[in-house]
Amino acid sequence: MNVSIQEYLFYFNDSTNTEKELATKYFYDNVIKRRDLEIKERILDYQSKYKNSKDFYYCCLSIELKLFLNKKNDEEIFDVAEDTGIIKKYLEHVTQWGHFEMSIFANCLYIFSSEYIRATFNILLKRTKILSKIDTYQNDISIFLNNCIVLAFERQHYQNARFYIHELYQVSGKTPRKAYDRMMCDFYLELIKTVNGQPSTIDTTIYQFKKLGFNDHAKMLENLRAKLTAKVKFSIA
């Protein structure tokens, strides 16, 4: 049926609260709210689960948490050279990607070069073609593209940012996330103007999120703008 085991299990257990789903819920919903010590404890827990079960899912979660802590603290708290090699090797050898592979790539983007990500984008669409009729697929693509855009900004690769913004705008027309993603496209385009020292309406765009009650998200966008504009000023100096 050309469906990976991970993909089959993901959809087979879609309506149940499996241990894996609880682990995923923790990772995506709560990780940014936890203290570093708790995250380190989770890493050990996932490593133990992987050792006992040999389930690559837990190996990936432990690696993603290591990468998260390194990036959050802007230092190598964990030596992840071997871990990043594991992720790259796994993704390169899977010819038909599912939700699992999409999530890994989206959450580990910064271990790849910008050239690799851009070159892999079209290949990614082919590798996930079988999922294109599944509702969650468009959401996966949207999350992936949002992550690509932010990474492009952080690396000051604005042409790449424009490319991914265009792709996100196209994808957003086919997903329930349409309003959110279109608003984010507006934000990103205004952000390009801001970091290039051009007049922009980025405050108005951020205010739209506040008006809709997404205050935490608006604050995150303000922090992203401050971080990127400071980075630009530093690089110029």
Side-chain angles (χ1 to χ4, degrees), residues 31-76:
V31 70
I32 61 174
K33 301 176 183 177
R34 301 291 186 181
R35 294 176 299 180
D36 287 5
L37 181 60
E38 293 178 59
I39 296 174
K40 290 177 181 177
E41 290 174 352
R42 283 281 175 171
I43 291 172
L44 292 175
D45 180 48
Y46 293 147
Q47 288 176 331
S48 177
K49 282 184 169 63
Y50 175 59
K51 182 178 181 180
N52 293 330
S53 67
K54 303 302 179 186
D55 189 331
F56 191 64
Y57 177 87
Y58 294 113
C59 176
C60 286
L61 281 184
S62 68
I63 293 173
E64 288 179 42
L65 285 176
K66 289 180 186 179
L67 293 170
F68 169 79
L69 280 185
N70 284 356
K71 189 169 178 61
K72 176 186 174 186
N73 293 279
D74 290 323
E75 62 176 303
E76 294 295 313

mmCIF file of all heavy atoms in Angstrom, residues 31-76:
data_model
loop_
_atom_site.group_PDB
_atom_site.id
_atom_site.type_symbol
_atom_site.label_atom_id
_atom_site.label_comp_id
_atom_site.label_asym_id
_atom_site.label_seq_id
_atom_site.Cartn_x
_atom_site.Cartn_y
_atom_site.Cartn_z
ATOM 1 N N VAL A 31 6.292 22.182 25.584
ATOM 2 C CA VAL A 31 7.742 22.201 25.719
ATOM 3 C C VAL A 31 8.288 23.597 25.981
ATOM 4 O O VAL A 31 9.204 23.776 26.789
ATOM 5 C CB VAL A 31 8.406 21.582 24.474
ATOM 6 C CG1 VAL A 31 8.241 22.471 23.267
ATOM 7 C CG2 VAL A 31 9.873 21.321 24.724
ATOM 8 N N ILE A 32 7.714 24.611 25.331
ATOM 9 C CA ILE A 32 8.264 25.958 25.503
ATOM 10 C C ILE A 32 7.915 26.549 26.864
ATOM 11 O O ILE A 32 8.459 27.586 27.244
ATOM 12 C CB ILE A 32 7.774 26.905 24.389
ATOM 13 C CG1 ILE A 32 6.258 27.032 24.405
ATOM 14 C CG2 ILE A 32 8.252 26.446 23.030
ATOM 15 C CD1 ILE A 32 5.729 28.056 23.418
ATOM 16 N N LYS A 33 7.027 25.891 27.600
ATOM 17 C CA LYS A 33 6.626 26.414 28.899
ATOM 18 C C LYS A 33 7.354 25.716 30.049
ATOM 19 O O LYS A 33 7.178 26.073 31.211
ATOM 20 C CB LYS A 33 5.103 26.245 29.084
ATOM 21 C CG LYS A 33 4.284 26.968 28.002
ATOM 22 C CD LYS A 33 2.808 26.689 28.186
ATOM 23 C CE LYS A 33 1.993 27.341 27.082
ATOM 24 N NZ LYS A 33 0.547 27.039 27.195
ATOM 25 N N ARG A 34 8.138 24.717 29.744
ATOM 26 C CA ARG A 34 8.794 23.930 30.785
ATOM 27 C C ARG A 34 10.193 24.447 31.083
ATOM 28 O O ARG A 34 10.859 25.002 30.216
ATOM 29 C CB ARG A 34 8.882 22.462 30.348
ATOM 30 C CG ARG A 34 7.543 21.821 30.053
ATOM 31 C CD ARG A 34 6.714 21.645 31.306
ATOM 32 N NE ARG A 34 5.499 20.912 31.027
ATOM 33 C CZ ARG A 34 4.579 20.622 31.937
ATOM 34 N NH1 ARG A 34 4.758 21.007 33.175
ATOM 35 N NH2 ARG A 34 3.497 19.963 31.606
ATOM 36 N N ARG A 35 10.621 24.206 32.271
ATOM 37 C CA ARG A 35 11.989 24.573 32.641
ATOM 38 C C ARG A 35 12.979 23.592 32.025
ATOM 39 O O ARG A 35 12.653 22.464 31.724
ATOM 40 C CB ARG A 35 12.126 24.559 34.165
ATOM 41 C CG ARG A 35 11.295 25.644 34.862
ATOM 42 C CD ARG A 35 11.410 25.512 36.360
ATOM 43 N NE ARG A 35 10.904 24.215 36.823
ATOM 44 C CZ ARG A 35 10.903 23.850 38.104
ATOM 45 N NH1 ARG A 35 11.402 24.642 39.025
ATOM 46 N NH2 ARG A 35 10.421 22.663 38.439
ATOM 47 N N ASP A 36 14.194 24.069 31.852
ATOM 48 C CA ASP A 36 15.220 23.244 31.208
ATOM 49 C C ASP A 36 15.418 21.915 31.932
ATOM 50 O O ASP A 36 15.616 20.875 31.301
ATOM 51 C CB ASP A 36 16.549 24.004 31.170
ATOM 52 C CG ASP A 36 16.529 25.130 30.142
ATOM 53 O OD1 ASP A 36 15.461 25.369 29.552
ATOM 54 O OD2 ASP A 36 17.576 25.766 29.941
ATOM 55 N N LEU A 37 15.349 21.935 33.255
ATOM 56 C CA LEU A 37 15.566 20.707 34.025
ATOM 57 C C LEU A 37 14.511 19.659 33.692
ATOM 58 O O LEU A 37 14.822 18.475 33.535
ATOM 59 C CB LEU A 37 15.546 21.010 35.523
ATOM 60 C CG LEU A 37 15.778 19.808 36.451
ATOM 61 C CD1 LEU A 37 17.143 19.182 36.164
ATOM 62 C CD2 LEU A 37 15.700 20.241 37.913
ATOM 63 N N GLU A 38 13.266 20.105 33.582
ATOM 64 C CA GLU A 38 12.192 19.172 33.249
ATOM 65 C C GLU A 38 12.383 18.609 31.849
ATOM 66 O O GLU A 38 12.096 17.428 31.602
ATOM 67 C CB GLU A 38 10.843 19.879 33.362
ATOM 68 C CG GLU A 38 10.479 20.282 34.788
ATOM 69 C CD GLU A 38 9.145 21.027 34.825
ATOM 70 O OE1 GLU A 38 8.129 20.439 34.399
ATOM 71 O OE2 GLU A 38 9.124 22.185 35.268
ATOM 72 N N ILE A 39 12.853 19.443 30.929
ATOM 73 C CA ILE A 39 13.079 18.987 29.561
ATOM 74 C C ILE A 39 14.196 17.947 29.543
ATOM 75 O O ILE A 39 14.115 16.934 28.844
ATOM 76 C CB ILE A 39 13.432 20.176 28.644
ATOM 77 C CG1 ILE A 39 12.248 21.143 28.568
ATOM 78 C CG2 ILE A 39 13.782 19.682 27.242
ATOM 79 C CD1 ILE A 39 12.533 22.417 27.805
ATOM 80 N N LYS A 40 15.240 18.183 30.327
ATOM 81 C CA LYS A 40 16.341 17.218 30.397
ATOM 82 C C LYS A 40 15.847 15.878 30.947
ATOM 83 O O LYS A 40 16.295 14.805 30.507
ATOM 84 C CB LYS A 40 17.464 17.769 31.269
ATOM 85 C CG LYS A 40 18.205 18.947 30.634
ATOM 86 C CD LYS A 40 19.264 19.509 31.561
ATOM 87 C CE LYS A 40 19.979 20.694 30.929
ATOM 88 N NZ LYS A 40 20.974 21.306 31.832
ATOM 89 N N GLU A 41 14.924 15.939 31.904
ATOM 90 C CA GLU A 41 14.356 14.712 32.448
ATOM 91 C C GLU A 41 13.552 13.977 31.377
ATOM 92 O O GLU A 41 13.577 12.748 31.293
ATOM 93 C CB GLU A 41 13.473 15.029 33.654
ATOM 94 C CG GLU A 41 14.260 15.493 34.876
ATOM 95 C CD GLU A 41 13.367 15.941 36.018
ATOM 96 O OE1 GLU A 41 12.131 16.037 35.802
ATOM 97 O OE2 GLU A 41 13.890 16.197 37.117
ATOM 98 N N ARG A 42 12.859 14.741 30.549
ATOM 99 C CA ARG A 42 12.101 14.143 29.451
ATOM 100 C C ARG A 42 13.052 13.468 28.454
ATOM 101 O O ARG A 42 12.754 12.400 27.919
ATOM 102 C CB ARG A 42 11.280 15.221 28.734
ATOM 103 C CG ARG A 42 10.026 15.635 29.471
ATOM 104 C CD ARG A 42 8.928 14.602 29.266
ATOM 105 N NE ARG A 42 7.760 14.939 30.056
ATOM 106 C CZ ARG A 42 6.592 14.328 29.947
ATOM 107 N NH1 ARG A 42 6.449 13.331 29.087
ATOM 108 N NH2 ARG A 42 5.571 14.674 30.711
ATOM 109 N N ILE A 43 14.161 14.116 28.189
ATOM 110 C CA ILE A 43 15.142 13.540 27.264
ATOM 111 C C ILE A 43 15.596 12.178 27.765
ATOM 112 O O ILE A 43 15.653 11.197 27.008
ATOM 113 C CB ILE A 43 16.352 14.482 27.099
ATOM 114 C CG1 ILE A 43 15.937 15.745 26.333
ATOM 115 C CG2 ILE A 43 17.498 13.775 26.360
ATOM 116 C CD1 ILE A 43 17.012 16.813 26.293
ATOM 117 N N LEU A 44 15.909 12.097 29.047
ATOM 118 C CA LEU A 44 16.336 10.826 29.631
ATOM 119 C C LEU A 44 15.224 9.780 29.554
ATOM 120 O O LEU A 44 15.479 8.600 29.299
ATOM 121 C CB LEU A 44 16.755 11.042 31.093
ATOM 122 C CG LEU A 44 18.021 11.875 31.314
ATOM 123 C CD1 LEU A 44 18.249 12.100 32.812
ATOM 124 C CD2 LEU A 44 19.236 11.198 30.696
ATOM 125 N N ASP A 45 13.987 10.239 29.773
ATOM 126 C CA ASP A 45 12.838 9.338 29.716
ATOM 127 C C ASP A 45 12.664 8.776 28.310
ATOM 128 O O ASP A 45 12.468 7.566 28.126
ATOM 129 C CB ASP A 45 11.574 10.088 30.147
ATOM 130 C CG ASP A 45 10.336 9.206 30.114
ATOM 131 O OD1 ASP A 45 10.397 8.078 30.643
ATOM 132 O OD2 ASP A 45 9.305 9.635 29.560
ATOM 133 N N TYR A 46 12.753 9.650 27.292
ATOM 134 C CA TYR A 46 12.603 9.192 25.909
ATOM 135 C C TYR A 46 13.754 8.283 25.502
ATOM 136 O O TYR A 46 13.566 7.318 24.755
ATOM 137 C CB TYR A 46 12.523 10.387 24.959
ATOM 138 C CG TYR A 46 11.270 11.221 25.131
ATOM 139 C CD1 TYR A 46 11.284 12.594 24.920
ATOM 140 C CD2 TYR A 46 10.059 10.632 25.510
ATOM 141 C CE1 TYR A 46 10.143 13.363 25.083
ATOM 142 C CE2 TYR A 46 8.919 11.390 25.672
ATOM 143 C CZ TYR A 46 8.960 12.765 25.455
ATOM 144 O OH TYR A 46 7.836 13.513 25.614
ATOM 145 N N GLN A 47 14.963 8.593 25.979
ATOM 146 C CA GLN A 47 16.106 7.737 25.671
ATOM 147 C C GLN A 47 15.918 6.350 26.272
ATOM 148 O O GLN A 47 16.267 5.341 25.657
ATOM 149 C CB GLN A 47 17.390 8.382 26.191
ATOM 150 C CG GLN A 47 17.836 9.596 25.391
ATOM 151 C CD GLN A 47 19.057 10.267 25.979
ATOM 152 O OE1 GLN A 47 19.295 10.222 27.195
ATOM 153 N NE2 GLN A 47 19.843 10.915 25.129
ATOM 154 N N SER A 48 15.362 6.321 27.484
ATOM 155 C CA SER A 48 15.090 5.041 28.132
ATOM 156 C C SER A 48 14.033 4.249 27.369
ATOM 157 O O SER A 48 14.178 3.035 27.163
ATOM 158 C CB SER A 48 14.618 5.284 29.571
ATOM 159 O OG SER A 48 14.281 4.064 30.204
ATOM 160 N N LYS A 49 12.979 4.946 26.931
ATOM 161 C CA LYS A 49 11.920 4.285 26.157
ATOM 162 C C LYS A 49 12.489 3.744 24.852
ATOM 163 O O LYS A 49 12.121 2.649 24.396
ATOM 164 C CB LYS A 49 10.777 5.262 25.880
ATOM 165 C CG LYS A 49 9.842 5.492 27.055
ATOM 166 C CD LYS A 49 8.688 6.407 26.666
ATOM 167 C CE LYS A 49 7.605 6.435 27.721
ATOM 168 N NZ LYS A 49 8.028 6.954 29.004
ATOM 169 N N TYR A 50 13.361 4.515 24.230
ATOM 170 C CA TYR A 50 13.964 4.062 22.968
ATOM 171 C C TYR A 50 14.842 2.830 23.199
ATOM 172 O O TYR A 50 14.799 1.864 22.435
ATOM 173 C CB TYR A 50 14.789 5.185 22.344
ATOM 174 C CG TYR A 50 15.547 4.761 21.109
ATOM 175 C CD1 TYR A 50 14.876 4.254 20.004
ATOM 176 C CD2 TYR A 50 16.945 4.854 21.055
ATOM 177 C CE1 TYR A 50 15.572 3.857 18.858
ATOM 178 C CE2 TYR A 50 17.638 4.454 19.916
ATOM 179 C CZ TYR A 50 16.940 3.963 18.828
ATOM 180 O OH TYR A 50 17.621 3.566 17.713
ATOM 181 N N LYS A 51 15.609 2.854 24.280
ATOM 182 C CA LYS A 51 16.490 1.729 24.597
ATOM 183 C C LYS A 51 15.689 0.457 24.827
ATOM 184 O O LYS A 51 16.096 -0.637 24.394
ATOM 185 C CB LYS A 51 17.326 2.054 25.840
ATOM 186 C CG LYS A 51 18.312 0.962 26.219
ATOM 187 C CD LYS A 51 19.136 1.378 27.435
ATOM 188 C CE LYS A 51 20.134 0.291 27.809
ATOM 189 N NZ LYS A 51 20.946 0.676 28.995
ATOM 190 N N ASN A 52 14.538 0.586 25.487
ATOM 191 C CA ASN A 52 13.732 -0.586 25.829
ATOM 192 C C ASN A 52 12.875 -1.073 24.662
ATOM 193 O O ASN A 52 12.652 -2.274 24.510
ATOM 194 C CB ASN A 52 12.823 -0.272 27.022
ATOM 195 C CG ASN A 52 13.608 -0.042 28.300
ATOM 196 O OD1 ASN A 52 14.688 -0.609 28.480
ATOM 197 N ND2 ASN A 52 13.090 0.787 29.186
ATOM 198 N N SER A 53 12.382 -0.143 23.859
ATOM 199 C CA SER A 53 11.444 -0.513 22.795
ATOM 200 C C SER A 53 12.065 -0.556 21.400
ATOM 201 O O SER A 53 11.482 -1.125 20.478
ATOM 202 C CB SER A 53 10.273 0.480 22.764
ATOM 203 O OG SER A 53 10.730 1.769 22.365
ATOM 204 N N LYS A 54 13.227 0.112 21.246
ATOM 205 C CA LYS A 54 13.867 0.251 19.928
ATOM 206 C C LYS A 54 12.958 0.991 18.938
ATOM 207 O O LYS A 54 13.113 0.867 17.721
ATOM 208 C CB LYS A 54 14.250 -1.113 19.349
ATOM 209 C CG LYS A 54 15.161 -1.938 20.241
ATOM 210 C CD LYS A 54 16.451 -1.200 20.559
ATOM 211 C CE LYS A 54 17.353 -2.023 21.470
ATOM 212 N NZ LYS A 54 18.556 -1.268 21.904
ATOM 213 N N ASP A 55 12.020 1.760 19.475
ATOM 214 C CA ASP A 55 11.101 2.529 18.645
ATOM 215 C C ASP A 55 11.754 3.867 18.292
ATOM 216 O O ASP A 55 11.996 4.699 19.174
ATOM 217 C CB ASP A 55 9.786 2.774 19.409
ATOM 218 C CG ASP A 55 8.700 3.370 18.529
ATOM 219 O OD1 ASP A 55 9.041 4.085 17.565
ATOM 220 O OD2 ASP A 55 7.514 3.121 18.805
ATOM 221 N N PHE A 56 12.015 4.090 17.007
ATOM 222 C CA PHE A 56 12.739 5.288 16.558
ATOM 223 C C PHE A 56 12.000 6.575 16.901
ATOM 224 O O PHE A 56 12.614 7.645 16.962
ATOM 225 C CB PHE A 56 12.966 5.204 15.050
ATOM 226 C CG PHE A 56 13.911 6.246 14.525
ATOM 227 C CD1 PHE A 56 15.246 6.269 14.921
ATOM 228 C CD2 PHE A 56 13.469 7.217 13.637
ATOM 229 C CE1 PHE A 56 16.114 7.239 14.443
ATOM 230 C CE2 PHE A 56 14.333 8.186 13.153
ATOM 231 C CZ PHE A 56 15.658 8.198 13.561
ATOM 232 N N TYR A 57 10.705 6.472 17.117
ATOM 233 C CA TYR A 57 9.894 7.641 17.480
ATOM 234 C C TYR A 57 10.472 8.332 18.712
ATOM 235 O O TYR A 57 10.620 9.558 18.743
ATOM 236 C CB TYR A 57 8.461 7.180 17.741
ATOM 237 C CG TYR A 57 7.511 8.254 18.189
ATOM 238 C CD1 TYR A 57 6.815 9.031 17.269
ATOM 239 C CD2 TYR A 57 7.278 8.483 19.542
ATOM 240 C CE1 TYR A 57 5.930 10.006 17.679
ATOM 241 C CE2 TYR A 57 6.397 9.457 19.959
ATOM 242 C CZ TYR A 57 5.719 10.213 19.025
ATOM 243 O OH TYR A 57 4.849 11.175 19.436
ATOM 244 N N TYR A 58 10.797 7.567 19.743
ATOM 245 C CA TYR A 58 11.319 8.140 20.987
ATOM 246 C C TYR A 58 12.733 8.669 20.810
ATOM 247 O O TYR A 58 13.127 9.653 21.443
ATOM 248 C CB TYR A 58 11.258 7.102 22.116
ATOM 249 C CG TYR A 58 9.845 6.740 22.493
ATOM 250 C CD1 TYR A 58 9.347 5.470 22.248
ATOM 251 C CD2 TYR A 58 9.001 7.681 23.078
ATOM 252 C CE1 TYR A 58 8.038 5.141 22.572
ATOM 253 C CE2 TYR A 58 7.688 7.356 23.413
ATOM 254 C CZ TYR A 58 7.216 6.090 23.158
ATOM 255 O OH TYR A 58 5.915 5.786 23.472
ATOM 256 N N CYS A 59 13.489 8.028 19.951
ATOM 257 C CA CYS A 59 14.828 8.528 19.641
ATOM 258 C C CYS A 59 14.721 9.931 19.056
ATOM 259 O O CYS A 59 15.459 10.839 19.446
ATOM 260 C CB CYS A 59 15.517 7.589 18.658
ATOM 261 S SG CYS A 59 17.144 8.149 18.108
ATOM 262 N N CYS A 60 13.786 10.104 18.129
ATOM 263 C CA CYS A 60 13.603 11.416 17.493
ATOM 264 C C CYS A 60 13.171 12.477 18.493
ATOM 265 O O CYS A 60 13.657 13.611 18.463
ATOM 266 C CB CYS A 60 12.570 11.312 16.377
ATOM 267 S SG CYS A 60 13.192 10.490 14.913
ATOM 268 N N LEU A 61 12.244 12.126 19.374
ATOM 269 C CA LEU A 61 11.789 13.104 20.366
ATOM 270 C C LEU A 61 12.933 13.561 21.265
ATOM 271 O O LEU A 61 13.051 14.748 21.576
ATOM 272 C CB LEU A 61 10.669 12.513 21.228
ATOM 273 C CG LEU A 61 9.267 12.486 20.622
ATOM 274 C CD1 LEU A 61 8.273 11.967 21.648
ATOM 275 C CD2 LEU A 61 8.848 13.857 20.128
ATOM 276 N N SER A 62 13.780 12.629 21.677
ATOM 277 C CA SER A 62 14.905 13.005 22.537
ATOM 278 C C SER A 62 15.873 13.928 21.797
ATOM 279 O O SER A 62 16.378 14.900 22.361
ATOM 280 C CB SER A 62 15.635 11.757 23.048
ATOM 281 O OG SER A 62 16.302 11.081 21.992
ATOM 282 N N ILE A 63 16.103 13.648 20.508
ATOM 283 C CA ILE A 63 17.006 14.484 19.710
ATOM 284 C C ILE A 63 16.412 15.874 19.505
ATOM 285 O O ILE A 63 17.102 16.890 19.638
ATOM 286 C CB ILE A 63 17.300 13.820 18.353
ATOM 287 C CG1 ILE A 63 18.118 12.539 18.551
ATOM 288 C CG2 ILE A 63 18.051 14.781 17.430
ATOM 289 C CD1 ILE A 63 18.310 11.722 17.295
ATOM 290 N N GLU A 64 15.118 15.938 19.199
ATOM 291 C CA GLU A 64 14.464 17.229 18.978
ATOM 292 C C GLU A 64 14.520 18.091 20.235
ATOM 293 O O GLU A 64 14.697 19.310 20.167
ATOM 294 C CB GLU A 64 13.019 17.017 18.533
ATOM 295 C CG GLU A 64 12.904 16.487 17.119
ATOM 296 C CD GLU A 64 11.469 16.259 16.691
ATOM 297 O OE1 GLU A 64 10.624 17.119 16.994
ATOM 298 O OE2 GLU A 64 11.187 15.217 16.067
ATOM 299 N N LEU A 65 14.381 17.460 21.398
ATOM 300 C CA LEU A 65 14.461 18.215 22.655
ATOM 301 C C LEU A 65 15.878 18.729 22.903
ATOM 302 O O LEU A 65 16.068 19.843 23.399
ATOM 303 C CB LEU A 65 13.997 17.348 23.830
ATOM 304 C CG LEU A 65 12.488 17.131 23.942
ATOM 305 C CD1 LEU A 65 12.174 16.187 25.085
ATOM 306 C CD2 LEU A 65 11.764 18.452 24.151
ATOM 307 N N LYS A 66 16.871 17.929 22.562
ATOM 308 C CA LYS A 66 18.264 18.384 22.684
ATOM 309 C C LYS A 66 18.507 19.603 21.794
ATOM 310 O O LYS A 66 19.118 20.590 22.226
ATOM 311 C CB LYS A 66 19.232 17.259 22.290
ATOM 312 C CG LYS A 66 19.326 16.099 23.254
ATOM 313 C CD LYS A 66 20.320 15.076 22.712
ATOM 314 C CE LYS A 66 20.380 13.819 23.542
ATOM 315 N NZ LYS A 66 21.328 12.826 22.979
ATOM 316 N N LEU A 67 18.056 19.503 20.548
ATOM 317 C CA LEU A 67 18.217 20.612 19.613
ATOM 318 C C LEU A 67 17.491 21.855 20.104
ATOM 319 O O LEU A 67 17.987 22.978 19.990
ATOM 320 C CB LEU A 67 17.688 20.210 18.230
ATOM 321 C CG LEU A 67 18.469 19.117 17.504
ATOM 322 C CD1 LEU A 67 17.703 18.634 16.273
ATOM 323 C CD2 LEU A 67 19.850 19.613 17.103
ATOM 324 N N PHE A 68 16.311 21.645 20.679
ATOM 325 C CA PHE A 68 15.529 22.760 21.204
ATOM 326 C C PHE A 68 16.278 23.478 22.315
ATOM 327 O O PHE A 68 16.365 24.716 22.334
ATOM 328 C CB PHE A 68 14.177 22.261 21.721
ATOM 329 C CG PHE A 68 13.412 23.299 22.507
ATOM 330 C CD1 PHE A 68 12.708 24.292 21.853
ATOM 331 C CD2 PHE A 68 13.431 23.293 23.900
ATOM 332 C CE1 PHE A 68 12.019 25.263 22.576
ATOM 333 C CE2 PHE A 68 12.752 24.254 24.619
ATOM 334 C CZ PHE A 68 12.041 25.241 23.960
ATOM 335 N N LEU A 69 16.826 22.722 23.257
ATOM 336 C CA LEU A 69 17.549 23.340 24.376
ATOM 337 C C LEU A 69 18.802 24.061 23.888
ATOM 338 O O LEU A 69 19.129 25.149 24.387
ATOM 339 C CB LEU A 69 17.919 22.291 25.424
ATOM 340 C CG LEU A 69 16.814 21.872 26.394
ATOM 341 C CD1 LEU A 69 17.369 20.913 27.447
ATOM 342 C CD2 LEU A 69 16.192 23.079 27.083
ATOM 343 N N ASN A 70 19.507 23.469 22.943
ATOM 344 C CA ASN A 70 20.695 24.136 22.394
ATOM 345 C C ASN A 70 20.328 25.472 21.759
ATOM 346 O O ASN A 70 20.996 26.485 21.974
ATOM 347 C CB ASN A 70 21.371 23.241 21.352
ATOM 348 C CG ASN A 70 22.168 22.107 21.979
ATOM 349 O OD1 ASN A 70 22.277 22.014 23.201
ATOM 350 N ND2 ASN A 70 22.710 21.247 21.148
ATOM 351 N N LYS A 71 19.266 25.466 20.964
ATOM 352 C CA LYS A 71 18.847 26.682 20.273
ATOM 353 C C LYS A 71 18.297 27.712 21.260
ATOM 354 O O LYS A 71 18.571 28.908 21.147
ATOM 355 C CB LYS A 71 17.789 26.352 19.223
ATOM 356 C CG LYS A 71 17.452 27.528 18.309
ATOM 357 C CD LYS A 71 16.617 27.091 17.139
ATOM 358 C CE LYS A 71 16.244 28.259 16.246
ATOM 359 N NZ LYS A 71 17.424 28.931 15.679
ATOM 360 N N LYS A 72 17.537 27.250 22.224
ATOM 361 C CA LYS A 72 16.939 28.144 23.218
ATOM 362 C C LYS A 72 18.012 28.880 24.008
ATOM 363 O O LYS A 72 17.883 30.073 24.310
ATOM 364 C CB LYS A 72 16.057 27.341 24.174
ATOM 365 C CG LYS A 72 15.468 28.158 25.317
ATOM 366 C CD LYS A 72 14.737 27.264 26.300
ATOM 367 C CE LYS A 72 14.275 28.070 27.512
ATOM 368 N NZ LYS A 72 13.673 27.203 28.553
ATOM 369 N N ASN A 73 19.073 28.180 24.339
ATOM 370 C CA ASN A 73 20.128 28.763 25.174
ATOM 371 C C ASN A 73 21.311 29.315 24.373
ATOM 372 O O ASN A 73 22.272 29.816 24.954
ATOM 373 C CB ASN A 73 20.634 27.708 26.168
ATOM 374 C CG ASN A 73 19.583 27.335 27.202
ATOM 375 O OD1 ASN A 73 19.384 28.038 28.183
ATOM 376 N ND2 ASN A 73 18.903 26.224 26.973
ATOM 377 N N ASP A 74 21.231 29.199 23.037
ATOM 378 C CA ASP A 74 22.305 29.689 22.169
ATOM 379 C C ASP A 74 23.672 29.131 22.557
ATOM 380 O O ASP A 74 24.686 29.827 22.509
ATOM 381 C CB ASP A 74 22.364 31.228 22.188
ATOM 382 C CG ASP A 74 21.176 31.855 21.486
ATOM 383 O OD1 ASP A 74 20.742 31.287 20.465
ATOM 384 O OD2 ASP A 74 20.679 32.886 21.961
ATOM 385 N N GLU A 75 23.688 27.861 22.974
ATOM 386 C CA GLU A 75 24.947 27.194 23.291
ATOM 387 C C GLU A 75 24.767 25.688 23.177
ATOM 388 O O GLU A 75 23.642 25.175 23.196
ATOM 389 C CB GLU A 75 25.422 27.563 24.695
ATOM 390 C CG GLU A 75 24.474 27.141 25.808
ATOM 391 C CD GLU A 75 25.047 27.436 27.193
ATOM 392 O OE1 GLU A 75 26.145 26.928 27.473
ATOM 393 O OE2 GLU A 75 24.398 28.169 27.952
ATOM 394 N N GLU A 76 25.872 24.974 23.047
ATOM 395 C CA GLU A 76 25.830 23.530 22.881
ATOM 396 C C GLU A 76 25.734 22.851 24.241
ATOM 397 O O GLU A 76 26.731 22.340 24.781
ATOM 398 C CB GLU A 76 27.065 23.048 22.119
ATOM 399 C CG GLU A 76 27.121 23.534 20.678
ATOM 400 C CD GLU A 76 25.987 22.974 19.838
ATOM 401 O OE1 GLU A 76 25.730 21.757 19.913
ATOM 402 O OE2 GLU A 76 25.353 23.762 19.112
#
